[in-house]
Amino acid sequence: MTAAPSHLHGPAPVSRRRWYEQALGWPVADGPPVQLLTGVRFDALGLPVDAGLAVVQRLPPAGPVAFDPQARRIWFLTAAGSAEELPGLIEWLEWGGVALDLTAQGLDGRITAPSPVGGVPGQHGPGDGPGAAQEAVWLRPPRTGCEVEPTLPAAGLGGEGAAPGLVRLVSAAATECHRARLLRAGAARRRQPSGDRPDQPLAFSYASRMSAGTRPRSLTL
């Protein structure tokens, strides 16, 4: 049987590792798949795909963003050390106790290294392009020859240049994760036979939280 052309599988692991180590100076771990080590040059904030895409559209472009179809996550690269800030920020933003499906990778963490070939804005995205069902790709790729740190969301309300602050990113991420969860739950509820639908409204809806006086800070940022 003739092997499939190599370009359909993306760059070979050795080439991918070399690109990250030499072109970007990022630490990586051997695969397969090759993985980017977090907690050194950057951390990573992970969201479900629907929420992540909403945040990409909502905030000004800043910092690399990756899509991992295997994990069904969108990863926003953030300043190193920011993963440790996430639990406190969630509480401060008054999202504590809400199932947000919002995660972070920091020291000793890792994410799948996206294909350097697929890192062209508008060329690939969730569900597009050759191998998109398997390959991690950049939705917003890093720029070679440039330090990544100044472009990353960091602690505070405003990052350097156009980069949103970590607080603003987490605020938007929490809001979109909650909205996506409610939309998914509502869609699942509508698919149920009318006699099987629960009478209890969805917990933690915006209306219920506002009427209870627990409006999230996220809605005010």
Side-chain angles (χ1 to χ4, degrees):
M1 180 180 295
T2 303
S6 60
H7 70 275
L8 295 181
H9 301 290
V14 173
S15 299
R16 184 172 305 200
R17 175 168 185 161
R18 183 180 299 117
W19 187 80
Y20 281 106
E21 289 182 329
Q22 297 182 3
L24 295 175
W26 292 4
V28 298
D30 285 328
V34 175
Q35 296 180 315
L36 303 179
L37 301 182
T38 56
V40 182
R41 299 288 302 275
F42 51 80
D43 288 354
L45 183 69
L47 289 73
V49 174
D50 47 4
L53 291 177
V55 173
V56 169
Q57 297 173 356
R58 175 175 174 176
L59 294 181
V65 180
F67 167 58
D68 182 355
Q70 294 291 328
R72 296 300 299 169
R73 307 292 285 179
I74 288 182
W75 294 101
F76 291 78
L77 299 196
T78 58
S82 59
E84 299 178 4
E85 304 286 340
L86 183 61
L89 281 177
I90 292 295
E91 290 295 329
W92 184 78
L93 291 166
E94 299 179 0
W95 285 106
V98 182
L100 295 175
D101 196 14
L102 183 61
T103 59
Q105 293 288 338
L107 190 63
D108 297 326
R110 55 187 64 189
I111 63 174
T112 299
S115 170
V117 177
V120 179
Q123 179 176 344
H124 290 303
D128 297 324
Q134 301 296 329
E135 286 281 329
V137 295
W138 287 110
L139 300 182
R140 189 183 298 147
R143 292 182 295 173
T144 57
C146 299
E147 293 294 325
V148 70
E149 285 83 356
T151 71
L152 301 178
L157 289 174
E160 297 185 33
L166 182 64
V167 172
R168 192 167 298 279
L169 173 61
V170 173
S171 173
T175 299
E176 295 302 340
C177 282
H178 183 56
R179 178 180 288 119
R181 175 174 172 265
L182 293 180
L183 290 174
R184 290 192 297 267
R189 189 167 178 266
R190 287 191 296 272
R191 289 194 296 268
Q192 291 180 328
S194 57
D196 296 335
R197 295 176 185 174
D199 295 329
Q200 176 67 30
L202 289 173
F204 303 113
S205 68
Y206 292 131
S208 64
R209 296 192 75 185
M210 288 180 184
S211 63
T214 57
R215 185 182 188 213
R217 292 181 194 266
S218 297
L219 299 179
T220 65
L221 290 176

